[in-house]
Amino acid sequence: MKQITRLGIGLLLSSSLATAHADEVKIGMITTLSGGGSHLGVDVRDGFMLALEQSGRDDVEVLIQDDANRPDLARSLSNEFMQRDKVDILTGIIWSNLAMAVVPSVVRQGTFYLSPNAGPSDLAGRMCHENYFNVAYQNDNLHGAMGAYMREQGYERPIIMAPNYPAGTDALAGFKHLYEGDVVGELYTQIGQTDYAAEIAQIRNSDADSLFFFLPGGMGISFMKQWESSGVEMPIFGAAFSFDEILIKAVGSAAIGARNTSLWAYDLDNEANNRFVAGFQAAYDRMPTLYAAQGYDTANLILSALETAHPDDKDAFREALRAADFDSVRGEFRFGTNQHPIQDIYVREVVEGDDGEPTNRLMGIAIEDIQDVYAEQCQM
Amino acid sequence: MSVTLLIEQLLNGVQLGTMLFLMASGLTLVFGVMGLINLAHGSFYMVGAYATATVTASTGSFLLGLGAGIAAAALVGALVELLVIRRLYHRPHLDQVLATFALILIFSEGTRWLFGSSPLRLSPPSWLTGFVTLPGDTRYPIYRLMLIGVGITISIALYVLISKTRLGMRIRAGESDREMIGALGVNISKLYTVVFALGAGLAGLAGALVGALQSVQVGMGEPVLILAFVVIVIGGIGSIKGALLGALLVGIVDTLGRVYLPIFFQAFMPPSEATGVGSALAAMLIYILMAVILAFKPKGLFSAHV
């Protein structure tokens, strides 16, 4: 309720007080709050607002709009935010295709954009921009880290699977890049596919020793339930996108034993994270997901930069963002030359929690200081 | 390319086909009897799955949940017919499409409002998990075999209902001449409500059964709805027999295409390109099938209105 009040006040202010205080900072958030996969946007928003609340600052105003997972809507919302509300910073987009529709024109017009989730390769490489910061990950990071982890664990014949669309083919390419070996097979599914009997039969009939898959959202739920009932015995691996706390609750026991890579885990022991997890559970009465952690870090990065400069002073504010002088919930955090994170990626295992519900448990580090391969294409 | 893989994939295709038939039969009945294009049919599928998930979670009994799912979908179907659909019978198809599309949005947002945007959990009951070993050392999940069984049972039940009972006679009469059976004193509006609720109940059953294998979430009905439309167009709009044949055809072609097309292209292409081309073509395969069938039989395999 709190963020709704804040939003209400925000909208009121933006319409009635055209001449707000000069030192006030306006942040526009465009995120997915309805339609498929809206729990991602809800968590980014809630994590972001929690950080603002904990900071106690009252000179930062956040305007929130729902993009309904539609690129055209996201684009017109960004224009509204920039032209009517004159926001200093934009953030919030979940999906890479929406980010590609919005971010390039936003940053060209001089507004800062901080990504709390989407990290398409183009924005990390040839289309990078000095006003664009990614606080989450480049899309390949988690898949590549799992490739490195599986190699290190001695799996020699993985079979890999993803939907046949850009993020899916990127995921498998990212995996293979750091796995550095041959895979037994590559399966491409249809986007939004719900029945995986055919793929499961193929996996059973291959001589693979492990399965890596990238099936975000409902696709992952369907697949894992069918996988469990098929009786195939094979260790499964994936990225956190198929194993966030909300999805594995819907999957149930079928998820137990799966290992996944994530840039964050709720049981990661550091001061910032303990404060975040306790605060999030107190405020929203549920376990945060990695998306909430990304939203929280994005807000804290902005707040840390505001300590040194106001976004009106673009060069100084940009320098302050680049310094990344904030306590990240994921431990060490710094930016590479393309303003994407250089960070450790962790491995988690899905286990049965104390309440009998599946939950993620931190196992260790999959790969240290991972940086995306697109940084060298970035000329800033 | 073993025989066991082929047998298993054929079973998968039949299983997909029987579930599509549950969806398509309701859709085709409603079109055949009332001449109505109902885009909201996928919403009944979702209602069935949500009701089943909720009741199963609170009572612990999957069978009770299944009953609740069918009942809820049929009830919602009857209500929708009484409140909205009834006003659309004499309108052009475009109005029907618009109104039932609006119903999709209302049902989706209403469900989100009631249950939240996170997917619900619904798993097969413990006595249906596990698998059986078929001849040739093929392992097949019991739950999927059960789905095939349910599909066949429902097909036979529908056949008996339509060809042997009084209600079925009226439905067939309604298909061939709507005005005439009204003139003969059959209570048309009651017949319409019953047929609509029957179709919705079947969609709810499909949603509940498939929901246990897939994810129960908002918008789960629309991808199935598209396939169901392909099925009834192939089978001939309004024909139950056509819906059954079309559903099995689509189920088997889709499943086998997904498996064997990438393998086929690997014979003369590098593996990564072959999987790409193969999967892309597999995604189009049922639409190609539809186009080919319509080229030779423009009204589908079995047209109800000749």
Side-chain angles (χ1 to χ4, degrees), chain A residues 33-39 42 164 176 186-190 192-202 204-205 217-219 221-223 225-226 228-233 246-253 356-358, chain B residues 2 4-5 8-9 12 15-16 109 112 117-124 129-131 139-144 211-218 220 223-224 254-255 258-260 262-263 272 275-276 279-280 282-284:
Chain A
L33 302 173
S34 65
S38 53
H39 78 267
V42 170
N164 196 9
K176 285 190 285 185
E186 288 174 41
L187 300 176
Y188 286 100
T189 63
Q190 289 164 32
Q193 186 172 323
T194 50
D195 197 280
Y196 293 91
E199 286 76 13
I200 290 172
Q202 279 177 288
R204 190 210 317 271
N205 278 272
M219 291 184 273
I221 300 179
S222 302
F223 172 74
K225 282 159 86 169
Q226 294 165 32
E228 186 190 36
S229 67
S230 71
V232 185
E233 306 270 342
I246 289 170
L247 289 181
I248 57 178
K249 295 269 185 303
V251 172
S253 61
E357 296 284 303
Chain B
S2 61
T4 51
L5 182 63
E8 188 176 350
Q9 300 297 13
N12 286 334
Q15 184 256 304
L16 177 62
E109 284 313 306
R112 194 192 317 286
S117 45
S118 310
L120 295 194
R121 183 198 296 184
L122 176 64
S123 297
T129 51
F131 41 83
R139 281 185 184 178
Y140 202 70
I142 295 175
Y143 190 77
R144 285 186 190 270
L213 272 183
Q214 301 174 359
S215 69
V216 178
Q217 60 181 2
V218 173
M220 63 187 283
V224 194
D254 185 51
T255 308
R258 256 158 51 204
V259 181
Y260 289 107
I263 297 177
S272 60
T275 38
S279 327
M284 293 182 258

Side-chain angles (χ1 to χ4, degrees), chain A residues 334-371:
Chain A
R334 64 197 155 94
F335 282 119
T337 48
N338 58 347
Q339 298 176 170
H340 279 60
I342 299 179
Q343 58 189 341
D344 294 348
I345 302 290
Y346 304 94
V347 183
R348 309 183 299 182
E349 184 178 9
V350 181
V351 296
E352 195 173 294
D354 298 332
D355 54 356
E357 296 284 303
T359 186
N360 278 294
R361 194 189 59 202
L362 183 64
M363 294 178 77
I365 293 180
I367 188 167
E368 284 181 8
D369 284 345
I370 192 173
Q371 188 183 12

Side-chain angles (χ1 to χ4, degrees), chain A residues 112-277:
Chain A
F112 288 99
Y113 183 87
L114 281 82
S115 174
N117 194 56
S121 53
D122 277 344
L123 294 181
R126 60 185 183 88
M127 291 167 74
C128 69
H129 194 276
E130 57 177 6
N131 291 336
Y132 173 71
F133 288 82
N134 186 308
V135 200
Y137 51 79
Q138 198 283 314
N139 284 354
D140 293 2
N141 284 172
L142 301 193
H143 310 294
M146 189 46 99
Y149 174 78
M150 285 173 70
R151 161 104 317 200
E152 185 198 297
Q153 294 287 309
Y155 290 100
E156 284 169 352
R157 299 187 310 278
I159 187 164
I160 58 180
M161 177 167 82
N164 196 9
Y165 80 123
T169 46
D170 280 1
L172 296 192
F175 175 91
K176 285 190 285 185
H177 177 69
L178 285 177
Y179 178 73
E180 292 174 342
D182 288 332
V183 296
V184 172
E186 288 174 41
L187 300 176
Y188 286 100
T189 63
Q190 289 164 32
I191 183 105
Q193 186 172 323
T194 50
D195 197 280
Y196 293 91
E199 286 76 13
I200 290 172
Q202 279 177 288
I203 295 168
R204 190 210 317 271
N205 278 272
S206 71
D207 64 340
D209 63 356
S210 51
L211 165 69
F212 168 82
F213 70 89
F214 168 63
L215 293 170
M219 291 184 273
I221 300 179
S222 302
F223 172 74
M224 274 186 283
K225 282 159 86 169
Q226 294 165 32
W227 175 259
E228 186 190 36
S229 67
S230 71
V232 185
E233 306 270 342
M234 196 184 285
I236 57 175
F237 301 86
F241 313 122
S242 303
F243 297 93
D244 71 47
E245 289 295 315
I246 289 170
L247 289 181
I248 57 178
K249 295 269 185 303
V251 172
S253 61
I256 294 199
R259 274 170 273 175
N260 62 96
T261 40
S262 176
L263 45 92
W264 167 88
Y266 69 80
D267 47 356
L268 197 61
D269 192 20
N270 65 56
E271 204 180 314
N273 195 36
N274 296 340
R275 183 159 179 251
F276 161 62
V277 175

Side-chain angles (χ1 to χ4, degrees), chain B residues 22-56:
Chain B
L22 291 189
M23 277 294 278
S25 55
L27 208 55
T28 206
L29 264 184
V30 167
F31 189 86
V33 179
M34 311 167 203
L36 176 95
I37 296 179
N38 178 24
L39 292 185
H41 206 62
S43 300
F44 303 135
Y45 179 86
M46 179 177 73
V47 167
Y50 268 82
T52 305
T54 314
V55 173
T56 305

